Amino acid sequence: MADENESSSPEEQALADEWAAALAEAGDDASQDDIDALMNQGAAAPSAPPPPRAPMEEFGAGTPLNIPAGLEGPNLDVILDIPVTISMEVGSTDISIRNLLQLNQGSVVELDRLAGEPLDVLVNGTLIAHGEVVVVNEKFGIRLTDVISPSERIKKLR
């Protein structure tokens, strides 16, 4: 009997142990032959069919993304504490590596924005608004002048 246990795989041994425990709970005086017979029945049984899958169109029937969530909308509490990075972009430009390496203190880099033009407000790199620079308690801030609607933001993602 020890030879049989050594030649069986760990999965088969675990299954045999489960059957032995179940038979012991049932109060049967089960022998190793009974356990082996039950184990062989379990191995010969066809595997269960995979669970049915829901059609994809059922998942698309939720709240449309371009409608602001109200009281009846999805529960946003699960994402409200996720940190995001908000940044303001004054402007940008493309320069060659040669010119980049020549920059030093006092160099001026010309940007693609006009003076006084609104800044871009980015959240995790996605444009969400435009605004103007203000000073609040001796620190820079931004006053939002134009907020991009959620539906427009989604269109830009596509």
Side-chain angles (χ1 to χ4, degrees):
M1 187 156 31
D3 293 333
E4 288 176 9
N5 288 342
E6 289 175 12
S7 64
S8 64
S9 70
E11 294 87 22
E12 290 175 351
Q13 185 59 42
L15 184 61
D17 293 342
E18 287 178 340
W19 277 108
L23 288 173
E25 286 178 17
D28 274 348
D29 294 328
S31 66
Q32 184 64 38
D33 294 332
D34 295 335
I35 294 170
D36 290 339
L38 289 172
M39 195 169 109
N40 289 335
Q41 284 178 351
S47 62
R53 293 186 177 184
M56 291 301 289
E57 49 271 4
E58 287 182 25
F59 293 112
T63 305
L65 293 175
N66 58 356
I67 297 176
L71 296 175
E72 69 282 343
N75 185 0
L76 297 178
D77 290 341
V78 295
I79 64 167
L80 291 179
D81 291 328
I82 296 174
V84 295
T85 301
I86 186 168
S87 59
M88 285 26 113
E89 186 176 278
V90 176
S92 62
T93 190
D94 293 325
I95 64 172
S96 66
I97 294 176
R98 179 183 316 281
N99 291 342
L100 177 67
L101 294 174
Q102 292 174 350
L103 293 177
N104 54 39
Q105 187 174 357
S107 296
V108 175
V109 178
E110 185 178 344
L111 301 176
D112 60 356
R113 293 270 167 102
L114 297 173
E117 192 174 344
L119 305 180
D120 289 340
V121 180
L122 308 167
V123 174
N124 287 348
T126 301
L127 179 68
I128 62 143
H130 298 285
E132 57 189 27
V133 176
V134 295
V135 177
V136 180
N137 296 331
E138 299 181 9
K139 293 184 180 181
F140 286 116
I142 190 162
R143 177 181 296 123
L144 300 181
T145 57
D146 180 37
V147 178
I148 297 173
S149 69
S151 60
E152 288 297 318
R153 283 182 250 160
I154 291 170
K155 285 180 187 175
K156 287 184 179 186
L157 291 175
R158 293 179 185 167

